[in-house]
Amino acid sequence: MYYNYKKFFSIVLMAVCDAKYTSTANLMQNTLPLPPPARISMESPQPLPHLFVGDAAFPLRTNLRTKRIFNYRLSRARRVIENSFGILTARWRILRTTIEYDPKNCEKVVLACIVLHNFIILNYHNRWYCPENYVDRQEPGNIVHCGEW
């Protein structure tokens, strides 16, 4: 938490999410139980490690790489985290504006929203919390429809 140029305290939230739009453990401490490297196709002789996609804000690590070949996949994968934040802020309106609490409690409020978001996504499968139109979807021919969150 820091005091920003607008004279407000700010929280910098860096998150990692999975394909279900749930946030996961800390990437920088390498605490995620990642699966071992695997072959991506029958033609590829060498197994590849599971990777995270990120931008220049992240240092290169064993499980975080940048290569030209990943540009398209990076774009697709980044839509997942954007959708995750979109769903989170659409459902937890307190995250859309200045949180009028003591700065010590703001982090707890944000973390509580994330925990509740994960719990609902993982336990309520009737899609009331995250309808299918909330997230980006891709049709044949690479036509992308943006989520309506």
Side-chain angles (χ1 to χ4, degrees):
M1 189 174 320
Y2 69 96
Y3 199 59
N4 70 18
Y5 72 97
K6 293 182 179 179
K7 299 189 169 65
F8 287 102
F9 284 98
S10 294
I11 297 172
V12 177
L13 178 61
M14 294 192 310
V16 176
C17 76
D18 59 19
K20 296 176 186 171
Y21 308 105
T22 60
S23 296
T24 56
N26 190 329
L27 161 68
M28 303 315 272
Q29 294 176 358
N30 290 326
T31 58
L32 287 176
L34 293 176
R39 291 177 46 191
I40 59 172
S41 71
M42 297 304 286
E43 293 82 32
S44 71
Q46 188 165 354
L48 298 175
H50 288 78
L51 303 172
F52 289 97
V53 292
D55 56 21
F58 295 92
L60 291 179
R61 302 226 182 226
T62 305
N63 57 359
L64 183 68
R65 301 180 185 191
T66 96
K67 294 195 182 230
R68 185 175 179 274
I69 195 167
F70 288 126
N71 283 346
Y72 173 71
R73 301 246 183 242
L74 175 66
S75 172
R76 286 182 58 190
R78 289 178 78 175
R79 286 199 313 255
V80 176
I81 193 69
E82 289 171 14
N83 280 299
S84 182
F85 275 114
I87 295 163
L88 185 68
T89 57
R91 291 303 188 184
W92 305 98
R93 294 185 308 175
I94 194 168
L95 301 177
R96 292 188 206 169
T97 186
T98 304
I99 301 174
E100 300 291 338
Y101 292 134
D102 184 282
K104 295 175 198 166
N105 294 326
C106 287
E107 283 186 39
K108 293 174 185 171
V109 169
V110 171
L111 291 174
C113 290
I114 292 169
V115 167
L116 291 168
H117 165 85
N118 286 350
F119 179 80
I120 294 169
I121 288 268
L122 293 172
N123 292 291
Y124 292 93
H125 304 291
N126 60 2
R127 310 274 308 163
W128 66 268
Y129 180 79
C130 179
E132 289 187 25
N133 63 333
Y134 252 43
V135 296
D136 294 351
R137 55 197 184 284
Q138 188 168 340
E139 291 181 4
N142 292 330
I143 298 170
V144 176
H145 297 279
C146 294
E148 297 175 13
W149 40 263

